[in-house]
mmCIF file of all heavy atoms in Angstrom:
data_model
loop_
_atom_site.group_PDB
_atom_site.id
_atom_site.type_symbol
_atom_site.label_atom_id
_atom_site.label_comp_id
_atom_site.label_asym_id
_atom_site.label_seq_id
_atom_site.Cartn_x
_atom_site.Cartn_y
_atom_site.Cartn_z
ATOM 1 N N PHE A 165 42.277 45.289 40.457
ATOM 2 C CA PHE A 165 43.575 44.607 40.412
ATOM 3 C C PHE A 165 44.541 45.189 39.381
ATOM 4 O O PHE A 165 45.698 44.767 39.334
ATOM 5 C CB PHE A 165 43.361 43.114 40.128
ATOM 6 C CG PHE A 165 42.594 42.409 41.207
ATOM 7 C CD1 PHE A 165 41.239 42.185 41.069
ATOM 8 C CD2 PHE A 165 43.220 42.008 42.373
ATOM 9 C CE1 PHE A 165 40.516 41.542 42.063
ATOM 10 C CE2 PHE A 165 42.519 41.363 43.370
ATOM 11 C CZ PHE A 165 41.158 41.133 43.217
ATOM 12 N N LEU A 166 44.089 46.110 38.543
ATOM 13 C CA LEU A 166 44.969 46.860 37.651
ATOM 14 C C LEU A 166 45.731 45.980 36.673
ATOM 15 O O LEU A 166 46.903 46.224 36.363
ATOM 16 C CB LEU A 166 45.968 47.695 38.478
ATOM 17 C CG LEU A 166 45.381 48.546 39.614
ATOM 18 C CD1 LEU A 166 46.478 49.309 40.326
ATOM 19 C CD2 LEU A 166 44.325 49.486 39.088
ATOM 20 N N LEU A 167 45.103 44.939 36.148
ATOM 21 C CA LEU A 167 45.744 44.088 35.144
ATOM 22 C C LEU A 167 45.579 44.698 33.757
ATOM 23 O O LEU A 167 44.587 45.358 33.461
ATOM 24 C CB LEU A 167 45.143 42.680 35.151
ATOM 25 C CG LEU A 167 45.319 41.845 36.418
ATOM 26 C CD1 LEU A 167 44.939 40.400 36.131
ATOM 27 C CD2 LEU A 167 46.734 41.914 36.952
ATOM 28 N N ARG A 168 46.536 44.414 32.897
ATOM 29 C CA ARG A 168 46.484 44.920 31.527
ATOM 30 C C ARG A 168 45.495 44.102 30.695
ATOM 31 O O ARG A 168 45.281 42.914 30.950
ATOM 32 C CB ARG A 168 47.868 44.876 30.879
ATOM 33 C CG ARG A 168 48.350 43.471 30.525
ATOM 34 C CD ARG A 168 49.707 43.522 29.844
ATOM 35 N NE ARG A 168 50.205 42.198 29.477
ATOM 36 C CZ ARG A 168 50.132 41.672 28.263
ATOM 37 N NH1 ARG A 168 49.547 42.348 27.287
ATOM 38 N NH2 ARG A 168 50.626 40.478 28.013
ATOM 39 N N THR A 169 44.912 44.741 29.678
ATOM 40 C CA THR A 169 44.045 44.053 28.721
ATOM 41 C C THR A 169 44.545 44.214 27.286
ATOM 42 O O THR A 169 43.932 43.667 26.368
ATOM 43 C CB THR A 169 42.604 44.597 28.806
ATOM 44 O OG1 THR A 169 42.620 46.010 28.566
ATOM 45 C CG2 THR A 169 41.993 44.325 30.166
ATOM 46 N N CYS A 170 45.653 44.945 27.083
ATOM 47 C CA CYS A 170 46.170 45.168 25.733
ATOM 48 C C CYS A 170 46.836 43.903 25.215
ATOM 49 O O CYS A 170 47.285 43.049 25.994
ATOM 50 C CB CYS A 170 47.165 46.319 25.725
ATOM 51 S SG CYS A 170 48.592 46.056 26.814
ATOM 52 N N ASP A 171 46.925 43.772 23.878
ATOM 53 C CA ASP A 171 47.571 42.588 23.326
ATOM 54 C C ASP A 171 49.086 42.730 23.425
ATOM 55 O O ASP A 171 49.629 43.790 23.738
ATOM 56 C CB ASP A 171 47.126 42.326 21.891
ATOM 57 C CG ASP A 171 47.487 43.458 20.938
ATOM 58 O OD1 ASP A 171 48.604 43.994 21.036
ATOM 59 O OD2 ASP A 171 46.642 43.809 20.097
ATOM 60 N N ASP A 172 49.779 41.627 23.156
ATOM 61 C CA ASP A 172 51.216 41.594 23.386
ATOM 62 C C ASP A 172 51.975 42.551 22.470
ATOM 63 O O ASP A 172 53.004 43.101 22.863
ATOM 64 C CB ASP A 172 51.737 40.161 23.180
ATOM 65 C CG ASP A 172 51.221 39.207 24.248
ATOM 66 O OD1 ASP A 172 50.661 39.697 25.237
ATOM 67 O OD2 ASP A 172 51.384 37.980 24.085
ATOM 68 N N GLY A 173 51.474 42.748 21.246
ATOM 69 C CA GLY A 173 52.138 43.671 20.332
ATOM 70 C C GLY A 173 52.123 45.101 20.842
ATOM 71 O O GLY A 173 53.136 45.806 20.802
ATOM 72 N N VAL A 174 50.947 45.542 21.320
ATOM 73 C CA VAL A 174 50.841 46.888 21.898
ATOM 74 C C VAL A 174 51.703 47.005 23.148
ATOM 75 O O VAL A 174 52.400 48.000 23.361
ATOM 76 C CB VAL A 174 49.367 47.208 22.222
ATOM 77 C CG1 VAL A 174 49.254 48.513 22.990
ATOM 78 C CG2 VAL A 174 48.541 47.261 20.938
ATOM 79 N N PHE A 175 51.659 45.958 23.989
ATOM 80 C CA PHE A 175 52.456 45.965 25.222
ATOM 81 C C PHE A 175 53.943 46.150 24.915
ATOM 82 O O PHE A 175 54.635 46.937 25.566
ATOM 83 C CB PHE A 175 52.228 44.647 25.979
ATOM 84 C CG PHE A 175 53.021 44.521 27.251
ATOM 85 C CD1 PHE A 175 52.507 44.988 28.445
ATOM 86 C CD2 PHE A 175 54.275 43.922 27.252
ATOM 87 C CE1 PHE A 175 53.231 44.872 29.624
ATOM 88 C CE2 PHE A 175 55.007 43.803 28.417
ATOM 89 C CZ PHE A 175 54.492 44.276 29.603
ATOM 90 N N ALA A 176 54.445 45.427 23.899
ATOM 91 C CA ALA A 176 55.866 45.469 23.591
ATOM 92 C C ALA A 176 56.303 46.809 23.011
ATOM 93 O O ALA A 176 57.469 47.188 23.137
ATOM 94 C CB ALA A 176 56.216 44.344 22.614
#
Side-chain angles (χ1 to χ4, degrees):
F165 297 98
L166 311 180
L167 296 192
R168 72 178 180 100
T169 57
C170 59
D171 62 42
D172 293 348
V174 172
F175 179 89

